[in-house]
Amino acid sequence: MFNLSTLAKGLTAAAVGLTAMATAALADGHAKVLRIQSVLPTTADEVVMLRAFGDDVAALTGGSLTIEVLPAGAVVGPRDIMDAVDAGLVEGGFAWTHYWGGKHVAANLFGAPVAGAGVGMDNIAFLSWFQFGGGKELYDQLWDEMGVNVKGFMLQPVGPEALGWFPEPITSMDDFRQMRFRAPPGMVGAAYADVGVPAVAMGGGDILPALEKGTIDAAEWCCPKPDSVFGFQKVLKHYYLQGLHQVVVNADMYVNGDFYDSLTDLEKKALEVASTASLSKSMSYRIYENGKALKDLVDNHGVILEDTPADYFTEYSAAANNALQAAADENEFFAQVWQSQKDFAAIAVPFWSGAQTSNANLGRAYADTLK
């Protein structure tokens, strides 16, 4: 018979054992600091959540492993973070994994699978694939395929991202094609180029100055809260929430393989447990923070919400599918990951999309009462 008293005693004993292990590590002078250089400034929401992740790791290890977040450019430039972690110049890095699509094309399927990987996956369905559909095992294999000495941890899923900010309304893709548009790097941006949008890749901190100088006309970054932190509303007022380019986006932590191997089993488990918690925390955080930011943008900054033109969805989807198929034809590991996502989607997406339709209609009905 199940005995609550016995279970409680077992859990208490386990907790005491973990605490003792951490205390012993500290007493032996084994306390470790994992320095993580971000691609973002310290004011970014992603860094706020990254520091909360670090707090969890420190608590779980009793302080034997702590995390220090370094801002963009502290050790190397943002584009060099993966190489710096691989070489051990810094113990860890923080970025979006599709940034490393130039090292291996399959990185796009983990960081930002374009248009939901072409199989209808939203950010929640992606997590289901990652955690229970074989995605994590393929993610762990990615670093060997990429040829880097790295252990990766997925931390912050986001999505869907807004189409972006425009100086005036766009009524069709022909209007969109007249705009020099900041788009993400990799396959996502390439799909924009394929439909004739002059896409320019640049870091988040460079977008507002480029808009102010007229180097670009329009831009996307993420969602209402991060966008407002960068201040795009100071220059552009027409905001489109519905986009396909990054229905799923994941910000990850990369740890030098030798540093990771030096950790105790407890410290490794702490990173695993804290990263799993971060997946849920970041999604919950984003919903509320983006809601508050969107209300502020509309109520106090003159931002106008617009509806994305219908031909965007058909044109961008076609370009995304062409890009996915071309990559699968050229790279065996990409094809393996994409097939795993397709196999998962064939089972999960019909259920989840149907359920989400009900959720969306429920939300819209309430939102309409607020207008």
Side-chain angles (χ1 to χ4, degrees):
M1 180 179 292
F2 182 74
N3 189 304
L4 284 176
S5 177
T6 300
L7 175 61
K9 290 178 180 178
L11 290 174
T12 300
V16 169
L18 291 177
T19 302
M21 290 170 63
T23 301
L26 286 169
D28 291 341
H30 291 159
K32 306 175 184 76
V33 178
L34 171 54
R35 297 178 306 152
I36 302 174
Q37 183 183 314
S38 172
V39 294
L40 294 166
T42 56
T43 54
D45 256 16
E46 291 85 353
V47 175
V48 172
M49 291 184 281
L50 181 59
R51 285 178 170 147
F53 162 80
D55 291 342
D56 285 345
V57 171
L60 288 167
T61 63
S64 71
L65 177 62
T66 59
I67 288 175
E68 178 184 353
V69 180
L70 306 178
V75 179
V76 295
R79 295 182 180 182
D80 298 322
I81 284 178
M82 181 59 73
D83 290 337
V85 175
D86 177 37
L89 296 177
V90 64
E91 295 81 26
F94 178 78
W96 293 270
T97 293
H98 60 285
Y99 276 28
W100 320 119
K103 289 183 175 295
H104 198 295
V105 66
N108 291 285
L109 291 175
F110 296 98
V114 61
V119 292
M121 287 203 300
D122 65 8
N123 57 341
I124 298 176
F126 180 92
L127 282 188
S128 180
W129 169 75
F130 181 76
Q131 294 182 305
F132 297 103
K136 187 177 185 304
E137 292 76 15
L138 292 166
Y139 179 76
D140 289 339
Q141 185 180 340
L142 171 66
W143 316 112
D144 289 334
E145 297 286 338
M146 196 180 290
V148 293
N149 182 29
V150 160
K151 170 69 175 177
F153 292 88
M154 196 170 286
L155 297 185
Q156 297 178 17
V158 180
E161 291 198 352
L163 176 65
W165 298 79
F166 293 80
E168 57 192 44
I170 55 172
T171 60
S172 69
M173 284 301 296
D174 286 339
D175 292 339
F176 197 172
R177 279 186 271 268
Q178 306 306 311
M179 306 285 177
R180 290 166 296 178
F181 182 67
R182 184 278 169 186
M187 191 174 287
V188 172
Y192 275 118
D194 287 345
V195 296
V197 173
V200 180
M202 63 179 64
D206 298 325
I207 299 174
L208 183 59
L211 288 169
E212 291 172 333
K213 294 175 183 176
T215 306
I216 56 174
D217 304 305
E220 73 81 54
W221 176 249
C222 176
C223 321
K225 176 64 181 296
D227 290 2
S228 65
V229 170
F230 278 118
F232 305 147
Q233 68 276 12
K234 299 174 184 176
V235 180
L236 304 176
K237 299 298 183 182
H238 297 274
Y239 194 32
Y240 291 76
L241 284 180
Q242 302 86 21
L244 283 181
H245 61 292
Q246 289 184 320
V247 180
V248 182
V249 194
N250 300 296
D252 300 356
M253 176 182 71
Y254 319 106
V255 180
N256 173 266
D258 295 334
F259 182 90
Y260 179 78
D261 289 342
S262 75
L263 301 178
T264 66
D265 289 343
L266 170 65
E267 290 160 350
K268 291 177 181 177
K269 177 57 72 173
L271 289 176
E272 178 188 338
V273 170
S275 66
T276 301
S278 179
L279 298 175
S280 171
K281 286 182 177 181
S282 61
M283 293 181 71
S284 302
Y285 177 86
R286 290 288 191 151
I287 290 173
Y288 191 38
E289 290 299 311
N290 281 322
K292 290 189 291 184
L294 183 62
K295 179 174 173 54
D296 179 62
L297 287 169
V298 172
D299 290 351
N300 301 316
H301 297 277
V303 171
I304 303 167
L305 290 180
E306 306 280 9
D307 291 326
T308 301
D311 56 351
Y312 161 81
F313 297 100
T314 54
E315 289 196 28
Y316 192 84
S317 292
N321 285 326
N322 289 339
L324 289 161
Q325 187 60 59
D329 291 342
E330 294 176 4
N331 186 275
E332 182 177 352
F333 183 64
F334 184 100
Q336 180 184 355
V337 176
W338 194 33
Q339 187 60 53
S340 174
Q341 292 177 338
K342 289 190 283 188
D343 292 343
F344 166 86
I347 296 171
V349 167
F351 154 71
W352 186 237
S353 62
Q356 288 297 83
T357 300
S358 299
N359 292 345
N361 288 339
L362 178 68
R364 286 195 196 99
Y366 173 72
D368 288 344
T369 68
L370 303 176
K371 296 178 180 178

